[in-house]
């Protein structure tokens, strides 16, 4: 969901204004970075499996980050990145994307993929945000 109001409401006014005024990220780049759970672009799956491909996500495991770790992550988001809205949940997910199309099939396995829930929606958290591998 490419909802610019939600994205910009996550950050404090100074960061939000900087991004808008300087086009530091345009909306397409911003939302691709935040929400796209694929390391590979859609074109890649089209080339591998055919333009009529369909994606299926299978979640193998979800481990919620709780307690002191959760609080530490929220502090980083607030202090280092100026978030005004903090996540209600942070979770580590392991899942598989299976792709099938007229030209073949392909699978991508994702391990230790951090996500956070803000405003009722889940977003990818790049590991570098929390200085993890």
């Amino acid at each position: 969901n490419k909802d610019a109001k939600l994205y910009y409401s996550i950050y404090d006014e100074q960061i939000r204004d900087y991004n808008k005024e300087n086009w530091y990220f345009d909306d397409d780049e911003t939302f691709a970075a935040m929400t796209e759970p694929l390391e590979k672009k859609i074109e890649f799956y089209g080339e591998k499996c055919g333009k009529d491909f369909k994606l299926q996500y299978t979640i193998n495991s979800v481990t919620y980050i709780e307690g002191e770790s959760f609080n530490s992550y929220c502090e980083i988001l607030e202090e280092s990145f100026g978030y005004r809205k903090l996540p209600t949940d942070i979770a580590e997910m392991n899942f598989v994307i299976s792709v099938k199309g007229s030209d073949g099939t392909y699978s991508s396995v994702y391990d230790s993929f951090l996500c956070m829930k803000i405003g009722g929606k889940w977003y990818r958290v790049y590991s570098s945000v929390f200085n993890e591998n």
Side-chain angles (χ1 to χ4, degrees):
N1 186 344
K2 295 186 175 185
D3 181 355
K5 289 181 184 175
L6 175 63
Y7 175 76
Y8 287 117
S9 73
I10 290 170
Y11 295 98
D12 69 20
E13 215 170 282
Q14 183 180 4
I15 293 173
R16 193 171 68 239
D17 290 345
Y18 179 83
N19 284 345
K20 283 184 176 180
E21 290 171 13
N22 294 281
W23 295 91
Y24 186 73
F25 293 109
D26 69 24
D27 283 349
D28 289 341
E29 289 173 318
T30 296
F31 289 105
M34 282 191 73
T35 64
E36 187 171 346
L38 308 175
E39 293 293 337
K40 299 175 178 66
K41 298 291 182 195
I42 296 302
E43 293 83 23
F44 174 86
Y45 291 115
E47 289 172 11
K48 286 282 187 186
C49 303
K51 292 185 179 183
D52 62 340
F53 71 87
K54 295 192 186 295
L55 295 174
Q56 179 178 351
Y57 295 80
T58 305
I59 296 175
N60 293 330
S61 67
V62 177
T63 305
Y64 284 89
I65 309 298
E66 298 175 329
E68 191 55 41
S69 293
F70 178 83
N71 293 336
S72 294
Y73 283 13
C74 287
E75 285 176 19
I76 291 169
L77 294 172
E78 190 171 25
E79 293 172 10
S80 299
F81 296 97
Y83 276 45
R84 295 188 315 162
K85 292 185 180 179
L86 294 174
T88 53
D89 289 301
I90 299 174
E92 184 179 303
M93 298 187 188
N94 298 316
F95 64 96
V96 176
I97 299 174
S98 301
V99 186
K100 292 183 182 178
S102 58
D103 295 343
T105 61
Y106 190 87
S107 291
S108 295
V109 177
Y110 293 87
D111 294 320
S112 301
F113 188 95
L114 279 177
C115 298
M116 63 182 173
K117 188 175 184 181
I118 298 177
K121 297 177 185 175
W122 285 94
Y123 297 93
R124 177 179 183 170
V125 180
Y126 288 93
S127 58
S128 59
V129 169
F130 299 119
N131 297 317
E132 293 180 358
N133 295 324

